[in-house]
Amino acid sequence: MTHAVTASNQVRSPKRRGDQVFSTSALVAGVAILVVLAAVAIFLVAESLPAFLANPADISSDGSGFWGLVGPLVFGTIWAAALALLISLPLSIGIALFISHIAPRKLAQGLGYIIDLLAAVPSVVFGLWGITVLAPAVQPFFVWLVDNLGWIPFFAGPVSGTGRTVLTVAIVLAVMILPIITAIAREVFLQTPRLHEEAALALGATRWEMIQMAVLPFGRPGLISATMLGLGRALGETMAVAMVLSPSVIISFALLQSQNPTTIAANIALNFPEASGIGVNVLIGTGLLLFIITLIVNSIARVAINRRKAFSGAN
């Protein structure tokens, strides 16, 4: 009887003030992010409608209309981000594994701090670096690629004389997203249960086999999240792309030519100051498409994470 009364009193006892403040703050934060997201979506849709309904001749001189204009922009955005991810992902995984499981602890801590500081560099600094240092440095290499591998469509000539190509932009974006993917992957790899690692080593596995059997499967959901976060940064990057790239509204898989497909974000940044009338609505419409692309990428990542979680040991 005494235990029943005590349990009843515990159930009916009021929450502490700290719990109430925390629960209310968490609820307000969760609702606020949904309200902000909905407000952004409503604004983009409302301001984009005139572009969708306008006469195609008022949008482009060739009469292709909004979709004819936005097609190359969507292609350029996805193409540049995919190239950056292709360059950055293997390096990020290698650096994260080196810091978490291979390097001595003092070296790992110092290298981790350097990687984290790299994420704080403003994008305009990366843009300046891409223009003044990277583009002139890689231009002779681009010439070599065209001379020796020009038969491959990706490396077809004529080569750009300035080095400011979509491949250069991809390298800059890869450097920008590398600290994001590396930092998250490093923390995920460090969360691998020690017993899993020791069990693999006790069975005779080498260090690489232990990483392959225990660390990578455990960290796969987190690695997917890190990859999608880096991809989102690459998709929305503006200043570095606008400063480095020599843009053209075209669809081309050539990586080394002077005419390159531009991205949605860079196109908005370059053209918005001079836009007026329906041109503003067209630019906002392209921003809506970038918003949708980002949501799709995040949704695909969430589905992949949920499918792999049961097999990762993370739960």
Side-chain angles (χ1 to χ4, degrees):
M1 183 66 178
T2 303
H3 293 292
V5 173
T6 303
S8 177
N9 291 335
Q10 289 177 351
V11 172
R12 295 178 182 178
S13 61
K15 293 182 178 180
R16 295 180 179 179
R17 184 176 299 274
D19 294 336
Q20 293 177 345
V21 172
F22 174 77
S23 60
T24 302
S25 301
L27 178 61
V28 170
V31 173
I33 189 62
L34 293 178
V35 171
V36 171
L37 187 63
V40 171
I42 293 173
F43 165 77
L44 291 175
V45 172
E47 294 295 326
S48 300
L49 284 178
F52 296 146
L53 303 177
N55 185 356
D58 296 334
I59 297 179
S60 58
S61 58
D62 59 358
S64 58
F66 175 80
W67 296 108
L69 174 65
V70 80
L73 297 179
V74 173
F75 168 81
T77 301
I78 298 176
W79 180 233
L83 290 172
L85 194 62
L86 184 65
I87 297 172
S88 178
L89 184 58
L91 294 175
S92 299
I93 295 175
I95 295 172
L97 289 174
F98 178 76
I99 294 175
S100 61
H101 286 82
I102 298 176
R105 187 48 45 198
K106 291 184 178 180
L107 176 60
Q109 290 178 350
L111 187 58
Y113 292 148
I114 294 175
I115 295 297
D116 293 339
L117 288 175
L118 188 61
V121 178
S123 59
V124 66
V125 175
F126 283 108
L128 292 173
W129 170 72
I131 293 176
T132 60
V133 178
L134 181 62
V138 298
Q139 202 277 336
F141 177 65
F142 289 171
V143 173
W144 182 88
L145 287 176
V146 172
D147 292 340
N148 294 273
L149 300 176
W151 52 273
I152 301 176
F154 292 126
F155 305 126
V159 66
S160 171
T162 61
R164 297 170 60 180
T165 70
V166 67
L167 183 57
T168 307
V169 168
I171 296 173
V172 173
L173 291 178
V175 175
M176 295 179 67
I177 67 177
L178 186 143
I180 299 175
I181 302 176
T182 301
I184 299 176
R186 178 191 67 208
E187 297 302 322
V188 171
F189 292 154
L190 287 172
Q191 298 303 315
T192 305
R194 187 65 179 174
L195 290 177
H196 293 188
E197 300 177 2
E198 292 177 352
L201 294 174
L203 291 174
T206 62
R207 178 177 295 183
W208 162 242
E209 291 172 339
M210 179 272 292
I211 292 174
Q212 188 178 12
M213 292 188 297
V215 178
L216 292 180
F218 178 86
R220 187 173 292 124
L223 187 58
I224 294 175
S225 298
T227 301
M228 293 301 104
L229 186 62
L231 179 59
R233 171 71 187 277
L235 287 171
E237 178 53 41
T238 303
M239 287 307 301
V241 178
M243 295 173 65
V244 176
L245 193 64
S246 299
S248 300
V249 184
I250 61 172
I251 296 178
S252 174
F253 288 96
L255 301 176
L256 309 177
Q257 297 179 3
S258 57
Q259 286 190 326
N260 303 275
T262 187
T263 65
I264 293 176
N267 182 70
I268 294 175
L270 292 174
N271 294 307
F272 196 85
E274 301 177 356
S276 61
I278 193 65
V280 175
N281 301 111
V282 170
L283 293 177
I284 296 177
T286 60
L288 174 62
L289 291 180
L290 181 59
F291 183 77
I292 294 173
I293 291 172
T294 305
L295 289 180
I296 292 174
V297 169
N298 290 334
S299 299
I300 294 175
R302 179 56 53 189
V303 172
I305 291 171
N306 290 335
R307 290 185 61 184
R308 296 301 308 178
K309 185 187 300 182
F311 306 98
S312 66
N315 56 340

